[in-house]
Amino acid sequence: MVKTAHNLPLHQGLLLATGVALLIALLMLSMTIGAGVYGATDVLGYFRGDPTLLADDKLAMVINTLRLPRTLAALVVGASLAVAATLLQSATRNPLAEPGLLGVNAGAVMGLVLGLIFFGVESTQGYLVWSSAGALLGNLVVLGIGLMLGQASPLKLILAGVALSAVFGGISNYLLLANQTALEQFRFWNLGSLSASELDAVGVVAPVVLIALALAVMLCRQLTLMQMGDAQAKALGIQTTRVRIGVLVASTLFTASAISIAGPIGFIGFLAAYCGRLVEPVALIRQMLFSALFGILFLLAADVLARWAIQPYEMPVGTLLAAIGAPALIAIVLRGGFRSLLSVK
């Protein structure tokens, strides 16, 4: 097989280059579409340091307060949810696993609701702490169920995730109905949107995401060997319990970081991880790379479309992705697209 200079197969190298080119195009679109009357010429001139445009306070507000934060948030959130899904799929050996489908998102939301109502949380740091606690609970339940099910049908774990989401969602709704102030604060955020993202919030979660990413990279080799089964992995010296704890921590940090700045956005992790696994079915480090790239591309494209489709208004990106992701999930399941991903026992 022909390989590139960086040991990527040629087709993967070409795909990566194409993905990076698309990413640059989407970043430019994201910075030029949305609130305000400013287009590409104004934005490029502003970043080039045009004195006239730099003196335009309204343009500075549109770029620094509206467009730049949500563009950076899309990078962080898209990559976080994609890598979290890849880790969960590897740890549970379930190609349908992702935070939204397994109830981890719902757990993070419940944690945040508890923080809002009982502790008056208003800062990004507070959102991150409480959503982390809820995501940790969701991950503990999910990984526990995954261990009990073993190599059972992937759909069983998804059904367990649906039930878990219903429980967490019911608790959240009950608490919110009794607190009108928290409900108003929570309502729009719960749809999943990048519109409320702020530069300071992105700056708070970015280091957490980098820590989670470093941990995920450290786990890649062990997780790859664990795809043969726990018995074989232990025979090779892999401490499977420690690896799963690492996955628990990393996926919790990824999920909580994404939810704290964008709310619960479903299906993006599943779609990105599924595409990443199609590109690289074996090497987990490359799989995570492509999953992260797909996650960013999908979320950026959806956010641009959400801003453009019904101008001058916009729809929550979580709603748009649900409308796309749910039929995609059903189609993949019906055509048995996940079966080939379970060939390693």
Side-chain angles (χ1 to χ4, degrees), residues 1-10 12-13 280 283 286:
M1 180 180 293
V2 179
K3 293 193 176 183
T4 64
H6 297 287
N7 294 322
L8 279 176
L10 181 59
Q12 291 185 3
E280 175 51 70
R286 293 180 189 170

Side-chain angles (χ1 to χ4, degrees), residues 23-53:
L23 175 59
I24 294 172
L26 285 171
L27 288 173
M28 294 177 64
L29 277 176
S30 182
M31 290 299 300
T32 57
I33 293 177
V37 296
Y38 301 101
T41 303
D42 300 310
V43 173
L44 289 174
Y46 180 87
F47 282 114
R48 287 173 181 167
D50 186 310
T52 304
L53 295 173

Side-chain angles (χ1 to χ4, degrees), residues 210-220 245-247 249-250 253:
L210 290 176
I211 292 172
L213 186 60
L215 179 57
V217 171
M218 292 170 57
L219 294 171
C220 280
I245 291 174
V247 170
V249 172
L253 293 177

Side-chain angles (χ1 to χ4, degrees), residues 103 106-107 109-110 113 162-176 186:
V109 170
M110 184 185 71
V113 168
V162 170
L164 188 62
S165 294
V167 172
F168 288 153
I171 295 173
S172 299
N173 291 333
Y174 172 77
L175 294 172
L176 287 168
F186 176 83

Side-chain angles (χ1 to χ4, degrees), residues 126-158:
Y127 287 176
L128 184 60
V129 168
W130 283 97
S131 58
S132 293
L136 178 62
L137 175 61
N139 269 319
L140 282 170
V141 176
V142 164
L143 291 178
I145 293 173
L147 287 174
M148 288 188 292
L149 290 177
Q151 290 294 309
S153 167
L155 294 180
K156 290 184 179 180
L157 188 58
I158 300 303

